[in-house]
């Protein structure tokens, strides 16, 4: 049996998990989601799981949790209560994250509590070593190992050419604490300047905005930043296309949005991104995996960390610093060929020929061989 343990109040976390099932990463027939029952959330969560055809069991007390000996428990998010479940040594515990990113949250020491941790490729292994999350000995003994693009998710954009070509802006959220804020949303002028530059170079005026589903969770003003961005883009003779079905605006915020000249879409599947803008987040790896060239917003401190990575030459060309005035735009937009080495470094391509539906079995066999 496969189990997925969740302790969250964030609806976006549930929706992200559902995508893994829809993409056949987790099999419906022998995967059970065990999730903590919060009064204000569990009925909605239960409805989402039921509509998606996923077996999900809520719990109030840890004594209610029952998992078969020998099962594998997957963790997509770090929560304090994960430690309670990891203590059950009849099971194998694997942290797979809900996306591959260069955020500091991806390498926190708490990750060591799990039996194994997956990452997309060599870049993730080097990240663990650089932050001393794992030692070379740990890596040699498969505490962390690559699984290609198995757990990095998808942007939701069309991967085949369409007539609906867009520039994608996908900001991350403001983080659970100030030190983990990688969002560009408070830098409105920087965002506008970058979007206008790409629009002028590409001739594309449709701007798809895909905010992180947690946006405004810690700082509600960040939702207002999205509204202000939509409003400004319209005044710049651009067409904002907002995909925020996983983001809950307040009644007042919805009223303000209605006054903006924009398109609201329930899905980005009919749109093709010819270029993108993002923050340091899981979206970056998704863009690489889907061959979408991009610029990357970050501050000087975070940029220095990226430039110290191996195969980081491309970062010198695509980073847009938020905390300095200059915009380092070149004459030509970055092309996907520029990202080739970075993609191969961050995403192990040996898994490309293996269907997503077969990769958990591959992972299970790998763990079995390690134990033997």
């Amino acid at each position: 049996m496969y189990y997925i343990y969740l302790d969250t109040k964030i609806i976006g976390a549930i929706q992200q998990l559902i995508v893994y099932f829809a993409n056949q990463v987790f099999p419906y027939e022998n995967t059970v989601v065990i999730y903590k029952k919060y009064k204000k959330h569990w009925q909605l969560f239960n409805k989402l799981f039921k509509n998606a055809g996923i077996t999900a069991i809520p719990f109030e007390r840890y004594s209610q949790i029952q998992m078969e000996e020998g099962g594998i428990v997957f963790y997509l998010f770090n929560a304090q209560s994960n430690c309670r479940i990891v203590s059950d040594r009849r099971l194998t515990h694997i942290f797979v994250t809900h996306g591959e990113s260069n955020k500091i949250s991806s390498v926190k020491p708490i990750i060591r509590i799990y039996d194994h941790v997956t990452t997309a490729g060599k870049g993730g292994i080097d990240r663990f070593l650089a932050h001393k999350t794992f030692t070379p000995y740990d890596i040699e003994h498969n505490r962390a190992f690559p699984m290609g693009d198995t757990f990095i998710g998808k942007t939701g954009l069309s991967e085949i050419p369409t007539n609906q070509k867009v520039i994608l802006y996908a900001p991350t959220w403001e983080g659970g604490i100030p030190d983990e804020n990688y969002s560009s949303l408070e830098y409105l002028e920087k965002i506008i300047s970058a979007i206008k530059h790409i629009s002028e170079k590409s001739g594309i005026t449709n701007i798809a905005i895909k905010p992180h589903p947690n946006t405004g969770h810690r700082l509600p003003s960040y939702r207002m930043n999205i509204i202000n961005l939509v409003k400004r883009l319209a005044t710049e003779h651009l067409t904002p296309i907002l995909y925020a079905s996983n983001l809950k605006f307040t009644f007042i915020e919805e009223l303000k949005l209605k006054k903006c000249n924009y398109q609201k879409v329930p899905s980005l599947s009919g749109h093709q991104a010819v270029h993108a803008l993002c923050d340091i987040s899981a979206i970056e790896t998704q863009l690489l995996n889907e061959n979408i060239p991009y610029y990357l917003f970050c501050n000087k401190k975070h940029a220095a960390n990226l430039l110290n990575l191996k195969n980081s030459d491309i970062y010198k060309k695509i980073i847009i610093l938020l905390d300095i005035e200059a915009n380092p735009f070149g004459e030509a937009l970055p092309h996907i060929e520029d990202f080739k080495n970075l993609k191969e470094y961050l995403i192990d391509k040996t898994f490309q020929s293996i269907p997503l539906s077969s990769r958990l079995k591959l992972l299970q066999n790998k763990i079995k061989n390690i134990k033997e």
Side-chain angles (χ1 to χ4, degrees):
M1 287 295 297
Y2 299 129
Y3 301 96
I4 298 168
Y5 178 76
L6 282 178
D7 179 356
T8 183
K9 298 178 182 178
I10 300 172
I11 186 173
I14 308 302
Q15 291 162 327
Q16 286 175 299
L17 173 56
I18 289 171
V19 171
Y20 280 124
F21 279 90
N23 289 334
Q24 300 182 317
V25 173
F26 292 113
Y28 290 91
E29 62 273 13
N30 62 331
T31 305
V32 177
V33 177
I34 308 290
Y35 68 100
K36 194 166 185 180
K37 185 176 180 179
Y38 289 101
K39 289 182 179 179
K40 294 182 180 180
H41 303 83
W42 84 271
Q43 288 183 323
L44 174 58
F45 289 1
N46 185 60
K47 182 180 179 181
L48 289 170
F49 284 129
K50 187 175 181 180
N51 289 344
I54 296 169
T55 302
I57 302 173
F59 73 92
E60 292 180 278
R61 299 182 302 278
Y62 291 99
S63 59
Q64 295 174 316
I65 298 175
Q66 295 184 357
M67 301 184 191
E68 292 181 11
E69 184 174 352
I72 299 176
V73 190
F74 295 97
Y75 303 81
L76 278 70
F77 307 91
N78 265 319
Q80 287 186 350
S81 68
N82 288 13
C83 298
R84 297 283 297 269
I85 313 303
V86 169
S87 65
D88 187 341
R89 302 317 303 163
R90 302 173 308 124
L91 305 156
T92 300
H93 305 272
I94 305 178
F95 186 67
V96 298
T97 81
H98 59 291
E100 179 92 5
S101 83
N102 284 304
K103 287 184 177 182
I104 195 68
S105 56
S106 296
V107 290
K108 283 185 173 181
I110 192 175
I111 290 174
R112 290 189 58 84
I113 69 173
Y114 306 101
D115 296 313
H116 305 283
V117 178
T118 69
T119 186
K122 183 66 165 57
I125 298 296
D126 286 348
R127 197 184 302 125
F128 285 133
L129 290 171
H131 288 85
K132 295 182 170 51
T133 310
F134 292 115
T135 66
Y137 179 86
D138 292 326
I139 302 302
E140 184 181 342
H141 288 80
N142 291 294
R143 287 292 305 282
F145 50 78
M147 283 294 292
D149 61 352
T150 308
F151 299 107
I152 66 175
K154 294 186 177 182
T155 62
L157 289 151
S158 174
E159 295 187 47
I160 59 174
T162 73
N163 293 328
Q164 296 294 319
K165 295 185 176 6
V166 298
I167 297 165
L168 174 70
Y169 171 53
T172 192
W173 69 306
E174 65 278 8
I177 58 176
D179 285 348
E180 294 180 9
N181 187 352
Y182 291 84
S183 179
S184 56
L185 273 171
E186 63 181 272
Y187 297 90
L188 183 60
E189 297 307 320
K190 277 280 186 187
I191 300 166
I192 296 290
S193 175
I195 289 174
K196 285 175 65 177
H197 170 76
I198 299 172
S199 179
E200 289 166 4
K201 290 288 184 181
S202 65
I204 293 171
T205 58
N206 292 326
I207 314 301
I209 304 166
K210 182 187 179 183
H212 192 284
N214 292 0
T215 302
H217 183 71
R218 181 172 65 86
L219 299 173
S221 61
Y222 274 55
R223 291 193 301 270
M224 195 63 220
N225 292 342
I226 295 170
I227 297 169
N228 290 334
L229 173 62
V230 169
K231 189 185 300 183
R232 277 290 306 277
L233 288 174
T235 63
E236 297 286 347
H237 307 292
L238 299 168
T239 304
I241 300 169
L242 181 61
Y243 169 66
S245 59
N246 293 344
L247 182 60
K248 188 174 182 181
F249 289 99
T250 66
F251 177 73
I252 298 299
E253 289 166 346
E254 288 283 3
L255 286 179
K256 290 180 178 178
L257 263 176
K258 284 183 179 179
K259 296 179 182 178
C260 300
N261 184 20
Y262 80 109
Q263 296 178 24
K264 185 178 181 180
V265 294
S267 168
L268 290 175
S269 60
H271 300 80
Q272 178 198 2
V274 297
H275 207 92
L277 291 149
C278 69
D279 305 330
I280 293 176
S281 68
I283 283 286
E284 182 188 356
T285 319
Q286 292 175 10
L287 294 172
L288 283 171
N289 197 46
E290 296 172 30
N291 296 315
I292 301 171
Y294 62 93
Y295 282 112
L296 182 69
F297 289 118
C298 60
N299 61 29
K300 287 187 288 186
K301 176 184 175 182
H302 296 144
N305 292 336
L306 294 178
L307 293 172
N308 283 330
L309 294 175
K310 297 175 184 176
N311 290 296
S312 65
D313 288 347
I314 183 62
Y315 283 125
K316 296 174 184 177
K317 302 177 184 178
I318 66 170
I319 285 176
I320 299 175
L321 293 174
L322 294 168
D323 45 0
I324 66 169
E325 298 235 349
N327 289 324
F329 300 126
E331 284 300 313
L333 294 174
H335 189 272
I336 195 59
E337 282 299 313
D338 299 328
F339 296 83
K340 182 179 179 181
N341 291 337
L342 183 61
K343 179 179 178 178
E344 291 183 359
Y345 177 58
L346 292 178
I347 307 171
D348 192 327
K349 64 180 182 181
T350 60
F351 292 84
Q352 288 178 348
S353 60
I354 304 170
L356 286 172
S357 58
S358 302
R359 295 188 191 178
L360 275 199
K361 192 66 179 175
L362 186 74
L363 183 150
Q364 187 177 348
N365 290 337
K366 185 178 183 70
I367 292 169
K368 183 180 178 182
N369 292 335
I370 291 168
K371 289 182 176 180
E372 291 176 351

